[in-house]
Amino acid sequence: MAVRSADLERDAATTAWKLDETVEQLQSAAEKTTEDARLYVIKGEERYLNAFRAVDAVEREREQSVKRLVISNLTDQERTALQTVEADAEVLDAIEEQAVKDFAAGKQDVGRAAVFSPEHEEAQTDLMASVAHFTDLVDARGQEDLRSAKEKADLWGAIAKSLLAITALVFLSVLYFVLKRRVARPLHQMSGVVRRLAKQDYTVELLADGRRDEIGDMNDAIQIFRDNGLERDRLDAERRKDQQIKDLILQLMHRLQGCQDEAELAPVVARYAVQIFPELRGHLFVMNEGRTVLSAAGTWGAPRRSTTEFPSIQCWGLRRGRPHLSEVEHGDVPCQHLDETTKDGSLCMPLAAHGDTVGMLYFEGPDGGLELIAARVYIELIAENLGLAIANLQLRDRLANLAVKDPLTGLLNRRSLDENLNRLRREATDLPAALMMIDIDHFKHFNDDFGHDAGDFVMSQVAAIMMDVAGNHGAVHRFGGEEFAIVMLGTDQKEARSLAERLRSGIERAPITYLGRPLGTVTVSIGVASTQDGQPSTNLMQRADASLLRAKAGGRNVVITDWTTGDVERPAV
């Protein structure tokens, strides 16, 4: 009964609301129709005519809706008022329709006069008044019906609420203990879990009661959310670590490109290797020119398993030309340069470029090589670029040596001599300088008697003695053929004379054999010039060369200086 009374109250309210809305829309449509008709006869635009037709159709539809809605429930007074509304609406429609037709037929003035005539104003006013009167009547009756229905609904509602309250009290009393134990406590615990998960605290422990109801389903969903959160955090951490490593590798590559020689390269690699692989230790090995021995050029993290120098044949990675992981616990073949008593894993990464092996990257780490396996991709990327960097630096050094050094003796060439002398002339200082010109005596004898290979050997041996005796005192050059020159900066006449004599006697006493055959005594003639005592540096070479000619003319195997005159003094044997 309470529900039925409430439905009747709701139906009464709905009926009153629909009626009010319909009448209001009818009134609004009438006003809109009048406005569109007037705009059409004023401006003559087709859109206003279309709007007039559409609103007029809507207005008539609303009238039929009112009739169907309340025709069976209207009182005599309301029915009379509704008939008045319909009559007034017909009068207003007739005036506006005729005005529109007149305007469309070319009688614009007639049409405009009609929609602004007193008759039109009066018809519109009568329509609005009749609609208002009808609305008042319907509202009054609707409010009365609504009040009556509300009183009945309230009465039965109060009765129903009382019965419902009694029933609910009994029901809640029965369910109290069940709900508290089976729902409230798990939900309270679950809410705490959800709050921690909302703060991205995925270490929280979830309920594990194995329930097969809605709460169990919710707990399973939360478990999945937690697992997904943990996995997402792990992937994010891996992505950030990967990006950080790649950024450091990129920085390393940029620094490698800026290195001018191999001595700069090794500290750069060591500095960044510690940052990129903090858990790993290692060496940067560089191959010697003969490609037989590797020496540690850089070290990071104090590695303890590999020696710092070993023959290249002792490394399986260099033998195969591929990365080699020496894992003690997994039975892989360890390299011979490793200490097998340690349990660390070791990775040998060859450095190759342009088809040639130039060195090796060596890493060792804990956990039997697990860290090395995880870092292997990054190590290979570094090795590829590092091999190119070392090869390019070595190629640059070789090209530089070809430009400034003599290929046979390894001494500085004639071009370097000219540059050093020109620099001496440009940068004149108070410090003395000396130039020593050296010629191997009777060098043609070695070529004729023993062959040109022997002659080249003699020349290389003499060059080696000159580098050993005078290398720390000046720059040794091959002037051309069997002639040499030594530029000595900051050397006075006495030191220059003494050094020349040591060089002459050292070459004379050196036993030189070629392919087991003694080549006899090799001697040199030396001419020395100095800038001391105000002598110019511009003609230093001419004066040294003149002294050399005097030495050769005086019997060879002597030292002649440009600051002494007279007969040549033979050295004591």
Side-chain angles (χ1 to χ4, degrees):
M1 292 299 293
V3 172
R4 181 182 177 190
S5 298
D7 290 341
L8 292 176
E9 179 186 2
R10 185 167 52 254
D11 291 342
T14 302
T15 301
W17 172 76
K18 289 184 177 180
L19 186 59
D20 289 342
E21 183 183 23
T22 305
V23 173
E24 183 179 351
Q25 291 176 350
L26 178 62
Q27 183 178 1
S28 176
E31 293 176 351
K32 177 64 177 172
T33 302
T34 300
E35 181 182 355
D36 291 334
R38 287 179 174 177
L39 288 173
Y40 173 67
V41 299
I42 292 175
K43 296 185 177 182
E45 296 181 9
E46 192 69 21
R47 56 182 178 139
Y48 295 117
L49 177 60
N50 295 334
F52 170 78
R53 297 300 185 192
V55 173
D56 184 60
V58 173
E59 179 184 10
R60 297 183 183 281
E61 182 180 347
R62 297 299 182 193
E63 292 174 2
Q64 295 301 323
S65 299
V66 171
K67 290 181 180 181
R68 289 194 300 270
L69 183 63
V70 300
I71 192 65
S72 60
N73 297 323
L74 291 180
T75 64
D76 293 338
Q77 188 178 6
E78 291 171 347
R79 189 175 292 107
T80 301
L82 181 59
Q83 293 173 354
T84 303
V85 170
E86 293 176 349
D88 292 340
E90 291 294 335
V91 173
L92 184 61
D93 288 345
I95 295 174
E96 292 174 350
E97 287 285 352
Q98 187 60 44
V100 170
K101 290 179 181 179
D102 291 339
F103 185 85
K107 300 176 183 181
Q108 288 85 352
D109 293 339
V110 176
R112 293 191 188 100
V115 295
F116 291 100
S117 65
E119 290 80 1
H120 183 275
E121 293 292 338
E122 181 180 359
Q124 187 177 19
T125 301
D126 291 342
L127 176 59
M128 296 298 105
S130 60
V131 169
H133 177 63
F134 177 74
T135 302
D136 292 340
L137 294 176
V138 172
D139 285 344
R141 184 172 62 84
Q143 292 296 327
E144 180 61 26
D145 293 342
L146 182 60
R147 184 188 62 78
S148 176
K150 186 176 181 304
E151 289 178 353
K152 293 180 180 180
D154 291 343
L155 175 61
W156 288 107
I159 297 173
K161 288 177 181 178
S162 300
L163 296 176
L164 181 61
I166 296 172
T167 305
L169 181 61
V170 175
F171 180 75
L172 291 176
S173 298
V174 173
L175 293 181
Y176 172 74
F177 296 101
V178 176
L179 293 177
K180 181 178 180 180
R181 189 170 190 85
R182 295 288 296 172
V183 178
R185 185 179 300 172
L187 286 178
H188 178 72
Q189 296 175 349
M190 195 176 298
S191 65
V193 172
V194 171
R195 281 195 299 271
R196 293 182 61 180
L197 290 178
K199 297 178 181 179
Q200 297 185 353
D201 180 10
Y202 299 113
T203 60
V204 61
E205 294 296 331
L206 304 183
L207 303 178
D209 55 3
R211 297 175 57 161
R212 292 295 180 265
D213 54 10
E214 289 78 3
I215 294 180
D217 294 340
M218 292 174 60
N219 191 54
D220 293 341
I222 294 175
Q223 178 68 47
I224 295 174
F225 178 79
R226 173 180 177 271
D227 293 342
N228 291 338
L230 289 172
E231 181 66 15
R232 183 169 60 251
D233 280 356
R234 185 186 66 80
L235 294 177
D236 287 344
E238 290 182 357
R239 180 184 58 79
R240 288 192 298 269
K241 182 179 180 181
D242 177 73
Q243 187 60 47
Q244 181 182 11
I245 292 176
K246 289 181 178 178
D247 290 342
L248 289 173
I249 292 176
L250 182 61
Q251 293 180 30
L252 172 61
M253 298 304 103
H254 290 164
R255 304 306 182 273
L256 293 180
Q257 294 174 5
C259 291
Q260 297 297 317
D261 52 44
E262 292 185 50
E264 291 183 346
L265 186 143
V268 171
V269 174
R271 177 180 294 272
Y272 278 92
V274 174
Q275 301 179 55
I276 298 172
F277 310 110
E279 302 296 328
L280 303 180
R281 309 174 296 274
H283 294 292
L284 169 61
F285 289 100
V286 178
M287 193 88 72
N288 65 348
E289 292 186 2
R291 298 297 186 260
T292 57
V293 177
L294 285 93
S295 301
T299 302
W300 55 92
R304 53 181 179 269
R305 192 178 181 192
S306 174
T307 59
T308 57
E309 183 173 321
F310 57 89
S312 58
I313 195 66
Q314 291 184 354
C315 179
W316 281 99
L318 296 177
R319 288 188 190 182
R320 301 186 301 125
R322 299 180 60 186
H324 183 76
L325 184 62
S326 299
E327 299 176 273
V328 177
E329 297 181 357
H330 292 78
D332 201 350
V333 180
C335 294
Q336 298 175 13
H337 61 93
L338 300 178
D339 181 5
E340 297 188 29
T341 61
T342 63
K343 301 299 182 182
D344 296 336
S346 300
L347 176 64
C348 298
M349 183 68 66
L351 302 178
H354 312 305
D356 186 20
T357 301
V358 296
M360 184 182 75
L361 262 181
Y362 170 79
F363 284 92
E364 64 182 42
D367 301 328
L370 295 179
E371 289 285 343
L372 292 172
I373 296 174
R376 180 167 175 172
V377 174
Y378 303 113
I379 295 175
E380 290 180 353
L381 178 61
I382 294 174
E384 180 179 354
N385 290 272
L386 183 56
L388 289 173
I390 295 176
N392 290 336
L393 290 175
Q394 292 178 349
L395 178 61
R396 182 192 300 177
D397 291 342
R398 286 195 293 269
L399 293 176
N401 289 334
L402 290 176
V404 300
K405 290 188 176 181
D406 175 60
L408 175 62
T409 62
L411 302 178
L412 296 174
N413 57 19
R414 172 66 182 274
R415 176 182 177 184
S416 298
L417 174 63
D418 293 339
E419 290 178 354
N420 288 336
L421 292 176
N422 290 333
R423 188 180 302 110
L424 179 63
R425 298 186 188 103
R426 292 194 306 269
E427 303 174 359
T429 64
D430 295 335
L431 295 177
L435 175 63
M436 190 185 303
M437 297 294 294
I438 307 160
D439 184 83
I440 301 177
D441 297 332
H442 307 294
F443 181 74
K444 187 174 182 298
H445 154 71
F446 297 104
N447 287 333
D448 294 343
D449 294 350
F450 300 99
H452 286 83
D453 289 342
D456 291 343
F457 179 75
V458 170
M459 196 174 301
S460 63
Q461 291 297 104
V462 171
I465 296 172
M466 286 191 291
M467 284 295 297
D468 183 55
V469 175
N472 296 329
H473 300 276
V476 185
H477 305 76
R478 182 184 179 187
F479 183 74
E482 67 273 16
E483 294 188 13
F484 303 87
I486 303 177
V487 179
M488 298 167 287
L489 302 179
T491 304
D492 58 20
Q493 295 174 350
K494 182 179 179 181
E495 292 174 334
R497 170 74 191 206
S498 175
L499 180 64
E501 185 57 38
R502 290 202 311 270
L503 178 61
R504 185 202 64 75
S505 61
I507 295 174
E508 183 182 20
R509 291 194 301 267
I512 300 178
T513 60
Y514 177 70
L515 299 178
R517 298 176 58 190
L519 299 181
T521 302
V522 179
T523 62
V524 294
S525 300
I526 303 175
V528 186
S530 173
T531 62
Q532 196 173 2
D533 298 332
Q535 293 296 322
S537 60
T538 54
N539 61 353
L540 189 63
M541 176 176 284
Q542 290 83 352
R543 290 188 284 118
D545 194 52
S547 298
L548 175 62
L549 292 176
R550 287 174 56 198
K552 294 169 68 175
R556 305 177 186 272
N557 192 24
V558 293
V559 176
I560 299 297
T561 64
D562 72 331
W563 58 86
T564 58
T565 57
D567 297 335
V568 176
E569 297 181 4
R570 305 298 303 174
V573 179

